[in-house]
Amino acid sequence: MLSNSCRYGIRAIIYLASLPQTKGKTGIKQIAKDLELPTPFLAKILQQLAKQKILNSTKGPHGGFSLLKDSKNITLLDIVKTIDGEEIFTNCIIHNETCSSVDRSKKSCPVHDDFSRVRTDLIKLFRNKTIYDLVRTAKSEEIFI
Amino acid sequence: MLSNSCRYGIRAIIYLASLPQTKGKTGIKQIAKDLELPTPFLAKILQQLAKQKILNSTKGPHGGFSLLKDSKNITLLDIVKTIDGEEIFTNCIIHNETCSSVDRSKKSCPVHDDFSRVRTDLIKLFRNKTIYDLVRTAKSEEIFI
DNA sequence: AGAAAAAAATATTCTTATATCTTTTTTATG
DNA sequence: CATAAAAAAGATATAAGAATATTTTTTTCT
């Protein structure tokens, strides 16, 4: 459903958000090591998130990544849109193109109505779930990312 | 969300189910042409469905494919399981492995509970939706597959 | 039996996502 | 200013899904 890139991105942001406030930048190597993800691949992803002003990145000694926005203002939807785009929210489940909810000139498909209900729930979930929420849940349930 | 293979398979089955009862076998070329799908690729998919006893296939002159089961007894879930497997129903959205709803020994992930609600709805949809339903919907709304 | 039609099986190519490697740029610090 | 640390950028490799091409098997019909 989500690409690896997107999942890695989400996990990295949860990771950064769960570090103590006092911690400044964190290097890519450290992040990749702790999350057991491929370093250069993760770097690419974090660069995309930095371009979208979700992350802050600084080069040079003591450089690294940190959250640019407050974790209460970063939703799963922000990350998914940045990395995977909006296709998963618009594409039909059985056709390649988008269904008529988006483009009214096209005839609908027979699964359309039922599926769009489920999809709407999914979008709501992504839109309402902030990184702050996730970190809180993770901490209260002693879950590691 | 679903692979191309799976979507093509679903469409082919809806296609076959919407043919008049009197029609016997339909050749792969005909199906591929009408649905505008790549012929040999679609053939592979229909072979999988034939192995799962969803379709009937016969070789030789006047051979082709037809439904083996009544369209009321074929659900979307049957097709999805056959072609894409069960991963989409078990995999976590942010981890690679399955979450703890399946394997209780693993710690859950922070999105788990919310996501599994949406996923359960999706599974219900796939399980309850029969090909017969889809053909009826398509006909009543003058939709083509 | 032989020819033709059709699916099955096999092998190959193409494309894209995933992953890695190398070089370049930036910046803090001695 | 020189050096080193770190990310950015670019180029390259790998794997999987998607698509195509070719050969084989099965079956019907003459």
Side-chain angles (χ1 to χ4, degrees):
Chain A
M1 170 163 240
L2 300 180
S3 69
N4 278 358
S5 299
C6 192
R7 293 198 307 233
Y8 296 173
I10 292 170
R11 289 176 60 197
I13 290 188
I14 295 175
Y15 170 93
L16 288 173
S18 54
L19 296 175
Q21 294 285 349
T22 54
K23 180 106 178 58
K25 309 282 177 192
T26 308
I28 181 72
K29 280 181 201 159
Q30 183 71 48
I31 303 172
K33 189 185 155 209
D34 287 346
L35 296 178
E36 297 176 35
L37 298 176
T39 308
F41 189 49
L42 183 60
K44 288 276 163 62
I45 297 161
L46 298 194
Q47 283 164 29
Q48 285 184 270
L49 292 165
K51 274 191 192 130
Q52 285 298 314
K53 310 288 183 199
I54 294 170
L55 290 183
N56 191 281
S57 87
T58 51
K59 296 180 175 182
H62 309 294
F65 293 90
S66 63
L67 291 191
L68 188 53
K69 298 169 69 173
D70 186 320
S71 68
K72 286 183 183 172
N73 294 323
I74 307 172
T75 67
L76 280 182
L77 190 65
D78 296 327
I79 305 173
V80 173
K81 272 188 180 174
T82 299
I83 299 176
D84 280 351
E86 315 219 19
E87 293 78 30
I88 67 161
F89 304 122
T90 54
N91 276 0
C92 174
I93 26 167
I94 67 170
H95 294 101
N96 285 310
E97 330 81 37
T98 56
C99 265
S100 61
S101 70
V102 178
D103 180 352
R104 273 273 156 222
S105 70
K106 283 178 191 158
K107 291 227 169 187
S108 183
C109 82
V111 222
H112 184 82
D113 288 346
D114 296 279
F115 182 59
S116 70
R117 232 167 278 136
V118 175
R119 183 160 57 194
T120 300
D121 288 344
L122 187 69
I123 296 175
K124 268 187 207 156
L125 167 59
F126 283 166
R127 175 173 295 134
N128 295 331
K129 203 55 113 183
T130 68
I131 297 301
Y132 178 81
D133 297 333
L134 296 177
V135 169
R136 202 182 38 187
T137 306
K139 290 217 165 118
S140 74
E141 300 184 7
E142 290 178 33
I143 296 165
F144 190 59
I145 318 303
Chain B
M1 170 164 237
L2 299 181
S3 69
N4 278 359
S5 299
C6 191
R7 293 198 306 235
Y8 295 173
I10 292 171
R11 290 175 59 196
I13 289 189
I14 295 175
Y15 170 94
L16 288 173
S18 54
L19 296 175
Q21 294 285 349
T22 55
K23 179 106 176 60
K25 309 282 177 194
T26 307
I28 181 71
K29 280 182 200 158
Q30 183 72 48
I31 303 172
K33 189 184 156 209
D34 288 346
L35 297 178
E36 297 176 36
L37 297 177
T39 307
F41 189 50
L42 183 60
K44 288 275 170 61
I45 298 161
L46 299 194
Q47 283 165 30
Q48 285 184 267
L49 292 165
K51 276 193 193 129
Q52 285 299 313
K53 310 286 183 200
I54 294 170
L55 290 182
N56 191 281
S57 88
T58 50
K59 296 180 174 183
H62 309 296
F65 293 90
S66 62
L67 292 191
L68 187 54
K69 297 168 71 171
D70 186 320
S71 68
K72 286 183 183 172
N73 294 323
I74 307 172
T75 67
L76 280 182
L77 191 65
D78 296 327
I79 306 172
V80 173
K81 272 188 181 175
T82 299
I83 298 176
D84 281 351
E86 315 220 20
E87 293 78 30
I88 67 161
F89 305 122
T90 54
N91 276 0
C92 174
I93 27 166
I94 67 169
H95 294 101
N96 285 311
E97 331 81 36
T98 57
C99 265
S100 61
S101 70
V102 178
D103 180 353
R104 273 274 156 222
S105 70
K106 282 179 191 157
K107 292 225 168 186
S108 183
C109 83
V111 223
H112 184 81
D113 288 346
D114 297 279
F115 182 59
S116 71
R117 232 167 276 138
V118 175
R119 183 158 58 192
T120 301
D121 288 344
L122 187 70
I123 297 176
K124 268 186 207 157
L125 168 58
F126 283 168
R127 176 174 294 135
N128 295 332
K129 203 55 110 181
T130 68
I131 296 301
Y132 177 82
D133 297 332
L134 296 177
V135 170
R136 202 182 40 185
T137 307
K139 288 211 166 124
S140 75
E141 300 184 6
E142 292 179 30
I143 295 165
F144 189 59
I145 317 304

